Amino acid sequence: MESREQTRSRATLEDVANDAQVSLATADRVVNKRPGVRAATVAKVNAAIRRLDYRPDPAAARLARTRPRRVVFVLPAGANSFVGMLGEQVEANVEWMRDQRVESKVIAVDVFNPAELAHTLRAQEGHCDAVIVMALDHPLVRSAIDHLVHAGTVVITLVSDVPSSARTHFVGIDNSAAGRTAATLVGRFVGKRRAKAAVILGSLSLRDHAERYFGFNQVMAQEYPHLSVLPPLEGQDTPARNESLATQLIASHPDLAAIYSVGAGNAGICAALRATGRAHDTVFVGHELTSASRAELLNGTMDAVINQDAGHEVRSALRIALAQWSKEAVLSDQERIRIDIYLKDNLP
Amino acid sequence: MESREQTRSRATLEDVANDAQVSLATADRVVNKRPGVRAATVAKVNAAIRRLDYRPDPAAARLARTRPRRVVFVLPAGANSFVGMLGEQVEANVEWMRDQRVESKVIAVDVFNPAELAHTLRAQEGHCDAVIVMALDHPLVRSAIDHLVHAGTVVITLVSDVPSSARTHFVGIDNSAAGRTAATLVGRFVGKRRAKAAVILGSLSLRDHAERYFGFNQVMAQEYPHLSVLPPLEGQDTPARNESLATQLIASHPDLAAIYSVGAGNAGICAALRATGRAHDTVFVGHELTSASRAELLNGTMDAVINQDAGHEVRSALRIALAQWSKEAVLSDQERIRIDIYLKDNLP
DNA sequence: CTGTTAGCGCATTCAA
DNA sequence: TTGAATGCGCTAACAG
């Protein structure tokens, strides 16, 4: 029977002020990097902060703050259901946000129009404290992000990263790892027979789709050489296009053993599989757990769904923004978004 | 380009006091269910609370509280590595807890001794505000939990539930679903050939082991009848015993295609598999992602690991305790512990 | 550039 | 059984 405790109360801003021989207000100014303090004074205060191991008390800060922090979510318009879930999740967290003194707004933009996206982003300057954006990786967008960050706005990319930008943080999964995961699932579910595997994606110009496809191919080539991967088909994430692609695929490849759907629009593929009577003997792996994909998993048309938890992602983005503002520590392992694998048996 | 905002500032305790025509102190007494208030007064205040839709501001409450809340973790002694991870996770959260005005202590007890566990639990009465316990389901334990809860302590069962007790909350996974998940993985990885599958567990008297085994059998029988499941072997969660069990198993069943390890001690099974040269042609599914099982996944001896996130579990337990105390809402979907499936490709 | 002064919303003495 | 008063640690408005 072993035990352990913690005690010791922490240093306050006032302790810091005393130690540095300045006033509370001045100490506060340097902690919050506000202007109007001589460099020498800043140094004194910082020294005191280090000496006393000072960290602001988030509860006190939150209570004292009158003006709420403003965060803007920029999400794709014409939403597929995963994007819809993101929206619902921000909605689901307004209560919690209010407790944290944050207000949010959702703006829907056309993802495929970089100029519009970039314009929307730039327009937020000065109007909010953080923008959380599901962006596409394009020079215009990158520069808009850099601009915002330069102006002191926290920018968090969500789901789809803009790695070359100065974004404060990315919240999402490693898409090539997701693609590799899909490949292992496909390879092991199909088994040892020689056969073909198809890939249907939205567009190769979408960074996450391209990355998933890359990871998928990598593992298939290395570990399942008896399965030949057909050239990728682009269905624009629309069920209708996906359905006709899948139908053709099935017709022209009698030895088609598996389909990996990289993007959205799985309903079309399921329809094709059912119409051709191949729903149960073709391995079908796709992304994002929605009420639709959940049902397809249960009825056996889909065999596995790879997911990123939308709720986790929005909460995580919010917590990270909060942490940036008040320089709290972020628990990196709480904020890591998992590559979830769902089978019919472990559905939430 | 659509948008939406929230505003409106909330009612404070003072608003409630005014509305009910009592003092701040009295309002506070009824909100926190403290004694010494006439029933009629309580009713008045509660009416005001409802009328104004009052909810305490967690930041203010936390700031004003001088005496920290005390939580005690009661965990199994002689820890296997998963339990060790739980301990590390409480350690990893002390900083965060301090911000929330909570102090914690970890007590290690012999899980297999219900009397001692029960005694330890009862001993906490009056010494803490919450106990978070990884218990075993036994009448003595159940009654100790009921006793604590009756005394006003928040009791949260962790990982292993005591469903018949009055515990405030259970944080953990659905173990029969986990067992079913294991079965699907085994069934699909093995494929269509006739063969045998073995189950090794710690003890059938451990509720979670029994439940996993149950779920496993259920799916195997229904969906993979060509795979016959051998009678379960009890290895007490120890690597040595598991190794000899696995070795015998392999020797006596040439057509053994898969092993499902329900509990701890996977190192022994891996050793046996390697020693007999069967590491790569026997499907091996086990539980809990540790540095060891991670390595076995990467080297191909284990094919899948089913996990419950230890960090998520302790944070969740903590958040739920906090929410109970300050009657904040709990985000159920944030607190749901997932049945994680890890392959070598989606490792964190 | 720096200091003084009020609160934020609630918990908690201490009086009545 | 109830109320008045104080302060938690920080932000922000206002003086100097």
mmCIF file of all heavy atoms in Angstrom, chain D residues 1 4 14:
data_model
loop_
_atom_site.group_PDB
_atom_site.id
_atom_site.type_symbol
_atom_site.label_atom_id
_atom_site.label_comp_id
_atom_site.label_asym_id
_atom_site.label_seq_id
_atom_site.Cartn_x
_atom_site.Cartn_y
_atom_site.Cartn_z
ATOM 1 P P DT D 1 -32.227 25.142 11.043
ATOM 2 O OP1 DT D 1 -33.260 24.279 10.558
ATOM 3 O OP2 DT D 1 -30.844 24.698 11.070
ATOM 4 O "O5'" DT D 1 -32.238 26.535 10.253
ATOM 5 C "C5'" DT D 1 -33.444 27.262 10.222
ATOM 6 C "C4'" DT D 1 -33.087 28.685 9.970
ATOM 7 O "O4'" DT D 1 -32.004 29.079 10.840
ATOM 8 C "C3'" DT D 1 -32.585 28.964 8.549
ATOM 9 O "O3'" DT D 1 -33.557 29.827 7.929
ATOM 10 C "C2'" DT D 1 -31.248 29.676 8.727
ATOM 11 C "C1'" DT D 1 -31.266 30.095 10.191
ATOM 12 N N1 DT D 1 -29.919 30.126 10.845
ATOM 13 C C2 DT D 1 -29.388 31.344 11.193
ATOM 14 O O2 DT D 1 -29.952 32.400 10.969
ATOM 15 N N3 DT D 1 -28.151 31.279 11.801
ATOM 16 C C4 DT D 1 -27.422 30.136 12.107
ATOM 17 O O4 DT D 1 -26.324 30.204 12.664
ATOM 18 C C5 DT D 1 -28.037 28.910 11.724
ATOM 19 C C7 DT D 1 -27.366 27.620 11.992
ATOM 20 C C6 DT D 1 -29.247 28.931 11.109
ATOM 21 P P DA D 4 -27.155 41.825 4.282
ATOM 22 O OP1 DA D 4 -28.115 42.941 4.229
ATOM 23 O OP2 DA D 4 -26.858 41.053 3.067
ATOM 24 O "O5'" DA D 4 -25.776 42.341 4.886
ATOM 25 C "C5'" DA D 4 -25.522 42.256 6.282
ATOM 26 C "C4'" DA D 4 -24.045 42.538 6.540
ATOM 27 O "O4'" DA D 4 -23.321 41.283 6.647
ATOM 28 C "C3'" DA D 4 -23.355 43.326 5.424
ATOM 29 O "O3'" DA D 4 -22.376 44.164 6.017
ATOM 30 C "C2'" DA D 4 -22.748 42.232 4.560
ATOM 31 C "C1'" DA D 4 -22.378 41.165 5.597
ATOM 32 N N9 DA D 4 -22.484 39.807 5.095
ATOM 33 C C8 DA D 4 -23.448 39.301 4.257
ATOM 34 N N7 DA D 4 -23.305 38.030 3.984
ATOM 35 C C5 DA D 4 -22.165 37.672 4.695
ATOM 36 C C6 DA D 4 -21.481 36.444 4.823
ATOM 37 N N6 DA D 4 -21.877 35.322 4.226
ATOM 38 N N1 DA D 4 -20.384 36.421 5.599
ATOM 39 C C2 DA D 4 -20.004 37.547 6.210
ATOM 40 N N3 DA D 4 -20.571 38.761 6.172
ATOM 41 C C4 DA D 4 -21.651 38.749 5.379
ATOM 42 P P DC D 14 -11.795 54.527 -18.307
ATOM 43 O OP1 DC D 14 -13.148 55.079 -18.176
ATOM 44 O OP2 DC D 14 -11.093 54.540 -19.611
ATOM 45 O "O5'" DC D 14 -10.858 55.212 -17.224
ATOM 46 C "C5'" DC D 14 -11.061 54.885 -15.843
ATOM 47 C "C4'" DC D 14 -9.864 55.337 -15.060
ATOM 48 O "O4'" DC D 14 -8.761 54.413 -15.228
ATOM 49 C "C3'" DC D 14 -9.344 56.716 -15.503
ATOM 50 O "O3'" DC D 14 -9.317 57.567 -14.379
ATOM 51 C "C2'" DC D 14 -7.941 56.421 -16.038
ATOM 52 C "C1'" DC D 14 -7.566 55.162 -15.263
ATOM 53 N N1 DC D 14 -6.517 54.335 -15.905
ATOM 54 C C2 DC D 14 -5.436 53.893 -15.130
ATOM 55 O O2 DC D 14 -5.397 54.214 -13.932
ATOM 56 N N3 DC D 14 -4.471 53.147 -15.722
ATOM 57 C C4 DC D 14 -4.561 52.831 -17.015
ATOM 58 N N4 DC D 14 -3.593 52.084 -17.549
ATOM 59 C C5 DC D 14 -5.665 53.261 -17.824
ATOM 60 C C6 DC D 14 -6.608 54.004 -17.235
#
